[in-house]
Amino acid sequence: MAADPDCLFCRIVSGELPATRVDEDERTIAFMDINPATRGHVLVVPREHSADLTEIGEEDLAAVARMGQRIALRQKDRLGADGINLLNSCGQAAWQTVFHFHLHVIPRYGGDPLRLPWEPAPGDRDEIAAAARELEGA
């Protein structure tokens, strides 16, 4: 299994560093975020090191998504979450601070202080169409 000895999450996966684990399987580990956005905020990481979304293998990505769903269901059932945010940051410009792919599973509660980092507003239709053309296909 690929690991990076300087990676905080690889060190958690190996057991070298402690974490409050809530679930794990052959491909993933889910543990409590020590800087939680809300009560019950969990991180899901693949056991194998991948720096970000552009590097993670398809099987590990699918396994992380499955574990994220499992945790989200528990957050709703056991913590009474009203909703769930899934968040992944890919790259420093997107607020990634630990360069081991991870999925934040953040329970949401009515009246919690979290807000979107942007103001939803209609976009320029021509620019939307131009970006779509650049993204089409393989």
Side-chain angles (χ1 to χ4, degrees), residues 4 6-10 31 33-36 41 43 45 49-53 87-104:
D4 177 343
D6 298 320
C7 173
L8 175 69
F9 290 167
C10 285
F31 55 92
D33 193 316
I34 62 169
N35 298 301
H41 181 164
L43 299 175
V45 303
H49 183 82
S50 299
D52 60 34
L53 180 62
L87 174 69
N88 169 258
S89 298
C90 180
Q92 189 172 2
W95 311 316
Q96 186 176 6
T97 57
V98 177
F99 290 87
H100 181 122
F101 179 86
H102 55 288
L103 181 67
H104 294 261

Side-chain angles (χ1 to χ4, degrees), residues 12-13 19-33 40-47 63-75 78 103 105:
I12 288 172
V13 167
T20 305
R21 296 179 187 215
V22 295
D23 204 347
E24 58 188 281
D25 60 27
E26 64 280 350
R27 290 191 170 272
T28 67
I29 296 176
F31 55 92
M32 301 303 292
D33 193 316
H41 181 164
V42 171
L43 299 175
V44 180
V45 303
R47 290 180 182 272
V64 167
R66 283 190 301 274
M67 179 64 78
Q69 182 182 44
R70 221 162 54 210
I71 296 300
L73 289 167
R74 281 189 222 154
Q75 289 167 329
R78 299 178 188 178
L103 181 67
V105 187

